[in-house]
Amino acid sequence: MCIRDRFKPEVVRVHAEALLAGLGHAVSDRSSTARKMMANAAALVGRLSSTGMANLVQSHLEKYGDGSQLEQAESASQLFEELTLHAQDSLNQHLPGVVSVAFVAQHSGAKAVQKSWKIVWEENTGSLEGALRAHSDEMVGFMVRCLGSDSYQVRTQAAAALTRAANASNAGILLEPCLDELLPAILKVCSGPHFEGILSCLSGLGKLLATCSAHMDEPQRQLALTTILQAVEITKHGVSHQLAALTALSVAVSSRSLGSQSGQAVMRSILALLQNWLQGTEGGAAEADSPTVTTSTVADLITQAIEAGATASLWSSSAQS
């Protein structure tokens, strides 16, 4: 307040870089009220020094990291919210890195972090498609980094962001240049240990196959499809996992770029699953600890499986075989 009300900009500008360095450290105060005041002051001073602002943004992007350290994530998030609200013109020069973090971090499980980054995202982007068009390399790079995080919470955030990106208009065109970086990260997560966000990753993978398969080489297409089929066959994670995998499969096979060979593989897998599920219902309901608990649950699985195989080109190619 003193800086804003009592000092002329030309007086503050002389010391702006040093002030920003000090305020950057002070933003880590334990008191949320003090953090907000320091962040607000940093935004006001940041408008007066491009070098100081650049150093402040870079240091706090590094401080935020992938968001796995909650205390650091909260203070960095609050700073970027204040910079967005009170120094947006100065922040515009650093949008690629800031927008990339905001895209993932707005899905954080920590409410304060989520709120701050949602404001940053909404105020600094016109649309998801526009942001991907302008910053796809940076956004995909940060998603990939977070998908490889040691924190399952961070992976879940990245998985949610991935699903949103894959469902964007023209996602095939916007994400195609980044497939070589993005696809291996998704496949690794989908084939790895089970966690909450893996269902979102399967959804994103299915959508990428549907929209980007024409831009993939044959080994990439086959590996992506095989990963989804393997997820469909896994029963130990419960019916919700199988249904999510089947939904991803039904989306993936909507693309004719997969070809007849892939179509035949899908139908063989689905027919085998249908036989297993039907056999599991003979003689009454399944045991209580089984993933297929009731006949109606199996019916849901069968319905989704049929939808996954209902693409005309796949049915015809299977019939020919």
Side-chain angles (χ1 to χ4, degrees):
M1 291 178 66
C2 182
I3 291 172
R4 182 183 62 196
D5 299 333
R6 298 188 181 183
F7 290 97
K8 295 180 179 180
E10 56 268 24
V11 175
V12 177
R13 186 175 286 111
V14 176
H15 307 285
E17 195 170 334
L19 279 170
L20 283 170
L23 289 167
H25 290 296
V27 167
S28 300
D29 193 280
R30 291 184 178 181
S31 166
S32 60
T33 302
R35 285 201 304 267
K36 182 175 178 61
M37 292 177 63
M38 297 300 176
N40 182 262
L44 296 174
V45 177
R47 296 183 299 191
L48 304 175
S49 171
S50 58
T51 302
M53 174 65 92
N55 292 337
L56 183 70
V57 169
Q58 183 59 38
S59 65
H60 279 76
L61 285 176
E62 292 175 0
K63 178 181 178 180
Y64 183 85
D66 62 8
S68 56
Q69 302 298 317
L70 184 56
E71 188 174 335
Q72 294 183 9
E74 287 181 344
S75 60
S77 303
Q78 195 160 38
L79 173 67
F80 283 107
E81 178 184 347
E82 292 298 319
L83 293 178
T84 294
L85 296 176
H86 303 291
Q88 192 170 25
D89 290 344
S90 299
L91 189 62
N92 282 341
Q93 302 174 39
H94 313 285
L95 280 187
V98 174
V99 165
S100 301
V101 174
F103 182 55
V104 174
Q106 64 181 313
H107 300 286
S108 172
K111 296 300 182 183
V113 174
Q114 180 188 110
K115 171 182 171 292
S116 291
W117 285 112
K118 188 173 182 180
I119 291 172
V120 173
W121 172 260
E122 291 176 348
E123 295 295 327
N124 288 294
T125 62
S127 66
L128 171 56
E129 291 74 18
L132 283 171
R133 192 172 291 110
H135 313 300
S136 61
D137 286 345
E138 293 84 1
M139 291 172 67
V140 168
F142 191 71
M143 272 194 289
V144 168
R145 175 184 174 184
C146 291
L147 284 171
S149 173
D150 292 333
S151 166
Y152 285 120
Q153 289 80 7
V154 173
R155 290 190 200 179
T156 300
Q157 295 172 38
L162 165 66
T163 300
R164 189 174 171 189
N167 282 281
S169 300
N170 299 317
I173 297 173
L174 296 172
L175 295 176
E176 184 270 329
C178 308
L179 276 178
D180 288 342
E181 180 182 11
L182 182 59
L183 192 58
I186 300 172
L187 294 175
K188 183 177 180 180
V189 172
C190 289
S191 303
H194 183 75
F195 70 105
E196 183 181 349
I198 204 168
L199 303 185
S200 294
C201 278
L202 285 169
S203 174
L205 180 58
K207 190 65 177 179
L208 282 178
L209 266 174
T211 57
C212 302
S213 59
H215 305 291
M216 298 178 186
D217 57 36
E218 187 59 26
Q220 286 178 321
R221 282 195 293 270
Q222 290 300 320
L223 186 56
L225 186 61
T226 299
T227 299
I228 296 177
L229 288 174
Q230 288 174 344
V232 169
E233 295 170 1
I234 294 174
T235 60
K236 64 182 179 180
H237 300 313
V239 172
S240 61
H241 184 277
Q242 282 190 295
L243 284 172
L246 281 166
T247 301
L249 182 62
S250 65
V251 172
V253 298
S254 66
S255 172
R256 295 179 182 272
S257 301
L258 290 176
S260 61
Q261 185 176 359
S262 296
Q264 293 168 20
V266 169
M267 289 310 302
R268 284 195 296 269
S269 178
I270 288 176
L271 289 172
L273 287 169
L274 289 173
Q275 183 177 9
N276 290 338
W277 289 329
L278 289 171
Q279 287 176 347
T281 62
E282 291 178 358
E287 296 178 6
D289 60 348
S290 171
T292 50
V293 178
T294 65
T295 302
S296 63
T297 303
V298 176
D300 289 340
L301 289 167
I302 291 172
T303 300
Q304 188 62 59
I306 291 172
E307 290 178 1
T311 304
S313 61
L314 298 186
W315 281 107
S316 61
S317 64
S318 297
Q320 293 171 3
S321 66

